[in-house]
Every structure is written in structure tokens, then in C-alpha cells.
Amino acid sequence: AKLARKTGARTERQPEVEIDPELQEVLVINVMAKQGEIAGNDLLRVLLSCGFRFGDMNIFHRYEQHSGKGGLVFSAANVVEPGVFDVDHMDEFSTPGICMFMKLPGPKRPIHGFDIMMDSARKIANLLDAEIKDEHHNVMRQQTAEHYRQRVLDFERRYLSFKASQQH
């Protein structure tokens, strides 16, 4: 896979380097309604208040800056297939939850991005009376969050050593 990151309207091309699958990671956090479903209007209001912007692939994206500027940090899709939102009809829509995901390599500062993603998940869950679940749909415990954080740190270490080895 060639590495190209989309940042806002322009596409930033990285050097044409084949990335080892070992150097790719996707972190997933699900925010699920405790009971029933989350109303579309409530979801839209909360996502926008957390700095998300509706965009590519008909899902929501969180960029480095709350204003929507800077590089992509992570995204939020509908947990119901095909995972998209019809932003023009959010008032007629409800969902059991959203799936937030961060691709690595991705954000310039992955650990900072992960912290923003966890904070966003907590805020969304709190505002929508929902719960945070891991990639296996188990309730996210502090220990799981720490494990995710360690995955990001391990990824950064592997990626930096990979980039250093490419310099020679």
C-alpha cells in the first residue's frame, strides 16, 4: 500500500515507500447506546460539538484542530452497515452506535491523537447516555484503554525505527 494522507482539501504525498503490514494498525472504539438507539439529531449535535466534520465516505472526521483544520486524526462511522450517515436526514435516523477508528500511520502525533479519540469517546458517551466498547464490543475498561495506548506507543517505536532504516 502506498502511503498518501489526505489533509483537508489537499493530498499530502509521502515518499513512495512500501509499508510493511506489521507497520499498520487500526484502533477501534465503539460508542453504543445503553438501551435502544441514539437519535440522529442528538448524534449530529454531539459530534459537531466534539469537533467532528462530515466529509469523505459519508462519515465524520476529527482533524488536529477543533475547527476542522490540520491533518486527519480519526473518523467515526455508523456501526450499522454500510457504515455511512445521510447528514441531510439525521432527524429521521437512529443508530445503536458509532465506530470511531484511527489508522496508523496517520496522525503526526499518534499518542496525542489517541488521547483526543478517548476524550471524544468519553464526552460522546456521557452526552448520549451511551457506553464505550472496545473493538470486540466489550465494555472498555481502564486496563483496555491502557492496552490501546501501549499499542500506539509500540507502533510509534516500530515506525520510527522503520523510517530510520529507510534513511540508509
Side-chain angles (χ1 to χ4, degrees):
K2 297 219 179 346
L3 183 62
R5 261 204 328 251
K6 206 161 174 81
T7 52
R10 66 187 193 285
T11 299
E12 209 176 276
R13 289 255 171 235
Q14 298 292 28
E16 301 293 336
V17 176
E18 281 297 317
I19 298 290
D20 184 329
E22 298 266 308
L23 281 174
Q24 293 176 10
E25 186 108 29
V26 178
L27 296 170
V28 173
I29 298 174
N30 295 290
V31 180
M32 305 296 291
K34 287 182 184 168
Q35 297 164 341
E37 298 203 330
I38 299 165
N41 278 346
D42 293 340
L43 180 62
L44 180 62
R45 187 186 73 248
V46 168
L47 287 175
L48 294 175
S49 78
C50 290
F52 284 83
R53 297 288 176 266
F54 184 72
D56 286 355
M57 302 181 297
N58 292 323
I59 61 175
F60 289 89
H61 305 281
R62 180 62 163 78
Y63 296 92
E64 287 167 357
Q65 296 169 23
H66 200 275
S67 64
K69 293 194 171 23
L72 176 64
V73 181
F74 57 92
S75 301
N78 187 349
V79 293
V80 179
E81 291 293 330
V84 298
F85 298 98
D86 181 350
V87 80
D88 295 325
H89 296 99
M90 292 297 274
D91 54 339
E92 304 160 17
F93 161 86
S94 66
T95 181
I98 60 169
C99 169
M100 295 167 47
F101 59 95
M102 179 191 310
K103 292 179 181 173
L104 298 175
K108 285 187 199 102
R109 299 181 313 171
I111 203 70
H112 178 68
F114 173 73
D115 290 340
I116 294 171
M117 187 161 87
M118 269 316 301
D119 289 346
S120 296
R122 287 188 189 104
K123 184 175 177 185
I124 293 165
N126 189 29
L127 292 170
L128 295 175
D129 190 33
E131 49 192 1
I132 303 170
K133 299 196 171 188
D134 66 13
E135 60 199 332
H136 306 294
H137 289 275
N138 298 315
V139 172
M140 175 82 80
R141 305 199 184 296
Q142 187 59 40
Q143 184 180 357
T144 315
E146 287 304 317
H147 173 71
Y148 271 45
R149 199 164 210 287
Q150 192 57 53
R151 279 172 58 189
V152 177
L153 292 170
D154 291 346
F155 169 83
E156 279 190 288
R157 186 180 39 72
R158 288 192 320 268
Y159 190 66
L160 289 172
S161 77
F162 167 77
K163 281 179 77 171
S165 73
Q166 297 298 305
Q167 304 298 316
H168 304 291

